[in-house]
């Protein structure tokens, strides 16, 4: 496939994701919601709420897991530049241990919504319904692969969390956070057993390793 053909294919894919969102335009302003960091052994859970522009196509918005780190960073910068509004919610590992990861994820999502400079009329969520939110919600299974708004939120959440873990790596270099971002890799588990937990480890997640 030539470069021109790849670009044409990406334009078509983007249009399909935008078309999915357009079905909900009858409600008004659409906001996509997604999170990053439910599974890692350490660090915060991060949620993002993103309202995309109607008049500008941001190419390569996709489920963040389907993009390389380089491409995620590129698309994140485009979202940061052209989004109508976006908000980010961050909940600490201490809070995760206190209220459990699901409730912490909901808390991060509510914070992200509250940080929006524009109030949306409908939330498209990746597979969840967020408690204590008055705005109409639609939970969409595998939404980050279907909805452009949810995919954009997945990118913002993932890149934000990755940046945080890279900063934590500078504080606790022995754990390799910059590489595995806190997920339970063999190297990470070995480091926990060797050095013990650090302040950002989720105690409820690592109780079988210490």
């Amino acid at each position: 496939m030539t470069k021109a053909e790849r670009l044409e294919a990406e334009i078509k894919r983007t249009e399909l994701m935008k078309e999915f969102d357009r079905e909900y335009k009858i409600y008004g302003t659409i906001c996509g919601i997604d999170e990053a960091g439910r599974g890692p052994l350490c660090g915060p859970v991060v949620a993002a709420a993103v309202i995309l522009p109607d008049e500008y196509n941001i190419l390569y918005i996709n489920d963040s897991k389907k993009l390389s780190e380089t491409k995620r960073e590129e698309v994140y910068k485009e979202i940061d530049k052209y989004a109508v509004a976006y908000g980010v919610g961050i909940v600490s590992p201490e809070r995760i241990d206190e209220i459990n990861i699901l409730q912490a994820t909901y808390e991060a999502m509510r914070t992200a919504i509250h940080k929006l400079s524009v109030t949306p009329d409908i939330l498209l969520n990746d597979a969840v319904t967020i408690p204590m939110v008055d705005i109409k919600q639609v939970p969409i299974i595998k939404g980050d692969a279907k909805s452009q708004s949810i995919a954009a939120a997945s990118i913002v959440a993932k890149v934000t969390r990755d940046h945080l873990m890279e900063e934590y790596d500078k504080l606790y270099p022995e754990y390799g956070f910059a590489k595995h971002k806190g997920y339970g890799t063999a190297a990470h588990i070995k480091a926990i057993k060797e050095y013990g937990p650090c302040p950002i480890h989720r105690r409820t997640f690592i109780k079988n390793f210490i």
Side-chain angles (χ1 to χ4, degrees):
M1 187 180 288
T2 67
K3 185 176 181 180
E5 288 171 335
R6 287 196 299 272
L7 178 59
E8 184 179 354
E10 175 57 27
I11 291 171
K12 289 180 179 178
R13 191 198 62 79
T14 297
E15 187 55 36
L16 284 174
M17 294 189 87
K18 284 180 73 75
E19 191 61 36
F20 182 94
D21 286 6
R22 285 194 192 103
E23 294 180 22
Y24 298 94
K25 286 298 288 183
I26 57 171
Y27 297 101
T29 300
I30 297 167
C31 178
I33 308 286
D34 204 0
E35 52 73 30
R38 285 180 69 170
L41 304 180
C42 66
V45 63
V46 177
V50 179
I51 301 173
L52 291 173
D54 291 327
E55 69 282 357
Y56 183 81
N57 273 347
I58 304 174
L59 296 180
Y60 303 103
I61 290 180
N62 203 345
D63 172 3
S64 64
K65 296 183 292 294
K66 295 181 180 179
L67 300 176
S68 68
E69 183 176 355
T70 299
K71 183 58 72 175
R72 278 198 303 269
E73 292 283 349
E74 291 174 359
V75 179
Y76 170 80
K77 290 175 182 176
E78 288 287 294
I79 295 169
D80 179 56
K81 184 176 181 179
Y82 292 107
V84 173
Y86 73 87
V88 173
I90 300 170
V91 173
S92 71
E94 294 85 1
R95 184 65 172 161
I96 292 169
D97 285 336
E98 180 184 348
I99 62 175
N100 79 46
I101 186 60
L102 180 59
Q103 295 307 317
T105 300
Y106 290 150
E107 192 169 284
M109 289 176 168
R110 287 191 292 267
T111 299
I113 295 164
H114 291 154
K115 287 186 175 180
L116 289 167
S117 59
V118 175
T119 302
D121 298 296
I122 186 168
L123 306 175
L124 304 185
N125 306 338
D126 190 32
V128 300
T129 299
I130 310 162
M132 296 181 287
V133 171
D134 294 332
I135 302 167
K136 180 177 177 60
Q137 303 180 58
V138 181
I140 299 169
I141 303 299
K142 296 184 179 178
D144 50 7
K146 299 172 184 176
S147 160
Q148 192 182 46
S149 297
I150 296 176
S154 80
I155 291 168
V156 172
K158 172 66 173 167
V159 171
T160 299
R161 188 178 188 281
D162 283 357
H163 289 175
L164 288 171
M165 295 310 297
E166 287 159 8
E167 290 302 309
Y168 283 128
D169 184 70
K170 297 173 184 176
L171 294 175
Y172 313 107
E174 63 270 26
Y175 296 95
F177 293 147
K179 185 174 182 180
H180 53 66
K181 305 300 189 290
Y183 283 88
T185 63
H188 186 190
I189 293 170
K190 180 181 178 183
I192 294 171
K193 290 179 177 178
E194 183 175 353
Y195 301 107
C198 77
I200 69 162
H201 277 105
R202 303 171 183 177
R203 275 18 184 209
T204 51
F205 280 50
I206 62 169
K207 56 189 177 183
N208 293 331
F209 307 131
I210 57 175

